[in-house]
Amino acid sequence: MRVARAALHMWEEPCISGEEGSGAVFFTGCSLRCVYCQNYALSRGETGKEISVKRLAEIFLELSDQGANNINLVTPTHFVPQIIEALEMAKEEGLKLPIVYNTSGYERVEVLKRLKGLVDIYLPDFKYWEKESAKRYSMAGDYPEAAKAALREMVDQAPAPVFDERGIMRRGVIVRHLLLPGHVTEAKKIVEYLYKTYGDQIYVSLMNQYTPLDTLDADAFPELNRKVTKREYDRLVDYAIDLGVECGYIQEGETAMKSFIPPFTLNGV
Ligand code: SF4
């Protein structure tokens, strides 16, 4: 496995980060190759240190000692067999924190089934409704179908949200959608699907923080070479409210900043 950062992370949803922070472990690589990736150095494997299963188990326990509210596995999919071993090892050593599986949503159901009983909180993206968008931006035309099947399995494993007395999530599913510029209609279809299929069984997190980075090929994808406007984001949020979504998170203020991307300098690895 390669890991680029293991540290307390304050920028997840409030019920995940809380005041103490989420114990985020950023794995190098990703099962998607989004052209606009906001964590490019990480997803394309340009950063990260090779570690053993035993070291990963130690990292989990170190984050617990630092006061993390949970262990947050970020882009973990391609290392699932080793992560399972490390989780089992750390739990035997006394790890009690909820385990968060933080993923692009491009998952295979049989892989998720292997995580049953080990993962408490699923934090998947639901990126695209249209195959064309999935193919154009992530080279994965089957993303919408894969994400729907994966989400069904996640909700089956964590069918109702559970919070502790501080409002920190102990169990549940939070689905994120990062609004892309010019894609409000597609985003609305996703929100409608999520709400009509799962209602208050899941939380929906609508994100406006999309930032075009230097790594984006602006000639090939000119439509993505700008931030999301306030009007676009408001249209999506209003739509969700009109639908009746109450279990959800929105972002306020100026979030589209590069500073939201943590430094991948091998902290805690
Ligand atoms: S799923 Fe996320 S981390 Fe992976 S390539 Fe896409 S934007 Fe980057």
Side-chain angles (χ1 to χ4, degrees):
M1 282 171 292
R2 282 170 72 206
V3 170
R5 179 180 167 88
L8 296 179
H9 192 60
M10 303 298 176
W11 301 328
E12 307 289 25
E13 285 73 4
C15 70
I16 300 291
S17 285
E19 291 189 1
E20 298 79 7
S22 172
V25 182
F26 291 86
F27 293 92
T28 303
C30 182
S31 53
L32 286 181
R33 296 178 71 79
C34 307
V35 297
Y36 52 80
C37 182
Q38 309 283 285
N39 282 338
Y40 203 89
L42 184 72
S43 68
R44 302 301 160 98
E46 291 164 9
T47 179
K49 179 178 164 191
E50 198 171 312
I51 61 165
S52 65
V53 167
K54 184 166 172 289
R55 176 65 195 134
L56 183 60
E58 285 168 8
I59 287 172
F60 293 157
L61 292 165
E62 286 166 11
L63 289 167
S64 176
D65 287 346
Q66 289 167 30
N69 280 318
N70 42 55
I71 298 298
N72 183 355
L73 309 166
V74 186
T75 57
T77 313
H78 45 294
F79 294 127
V80 159
Q82 296 93 326
I83 289 171
I84 288 174
E85 270 188 70
L87 282 174
E88 287 171 346
M89 217 180 256
K91 286 184 184 220
E92 268 177 34
E93 295 290 319
L95 181 71
K96 294 265 185 305
L97 295 178
I99 307 301
V100 183
Y101 190 81
N102 187 338
T103 164
S104 66
Y106 194 53
E107 295 282 347
R108 294 168 71 176
V109 170
E110 59 264 41
V111 172
L112 296 173
K113 284 188 188 294
R114 292 180 64 183
L115 296 166
K116 193 171 178 176
L118 277 175
V119 165
D120 304 280
I121 298 168
Y122 283 100
L123 188 51
D125 294 339
F126 200 120
K127 290 177 174 293
Y128 310 108
W129 186 256
E130 309 293 349
K131 279 184 190 160
E132 294 69 31
S133 308
K135 199 166 173 195
R136 177 164 169 75
Y137 300 138
S138 295
M139 287 155 252
D142 62 341
Y143 178 94
E145 293 315 309
K148 279 185 214 164
L151 182 57
R152 167 53 64 198
E153 174 63 24
M154 293 174 192
V155 178
D156 285 351
Q157 288 185 29
V162 178
F163 297 88
D164 70 12
E165 64 290 347
R166 299 170 303 144
I168 301 296
M169 188 176 256
R170 303 289 307 180
R171 194 158 180 246
V173 178
I174 303 175
V175 182
R176 287 174 166 168
H177 179 69
L178 175 69
L179 179 59
L180 296 175
H183 284 75
V184 177
T185 303
E186 184 166 2
K188 284 181 179 177
K189 289 179 185 167
I190 291 170
V191 172
E192 182 184 11
Y193 171 78
L194 294 175
Y195 187 62
K196 291 199 168 158
T197 310
Y198 296 108
D200 294 344
Q201 276 188 288
I202 62 170
Y203 274 68
V204 177
S205 181
L206 301 177
M207 309 177 83
N208 69 352
Q209 70 190 57
Y210 173 79
T211 311
L213 301 180
D214 301 340
T215 41
L216 175 76
D217 181 345
D219 292 331
F221 303 99
E223 72 277 23
L224 295 184
N225 197 24
R226 67 168 172 88
K227 293 178 185 177
V228 167
T229 65
K230 181 174 183 307
R231 185 173 141 71
E232 284 176 316
Y233 187 60
D234 286 350
R235 277 170 58 208
L236 179 61
V237 171
D238 288 349
Y239 179 78
I241 292 169
D242 289 347
L243 259 182
V245 177
E246 289 187 354
C247 295
Y249 292 99
I250 60 170
Q251 292 184 310
E252 289 179 326
E254 177 62 39
T255 56
M257 299 188 309
K258 290 181 191 174
S259 62
F260 263 76
I261 300 163
F264 296 116
T265 46
L266 307 181
N267 307 39
V269 180

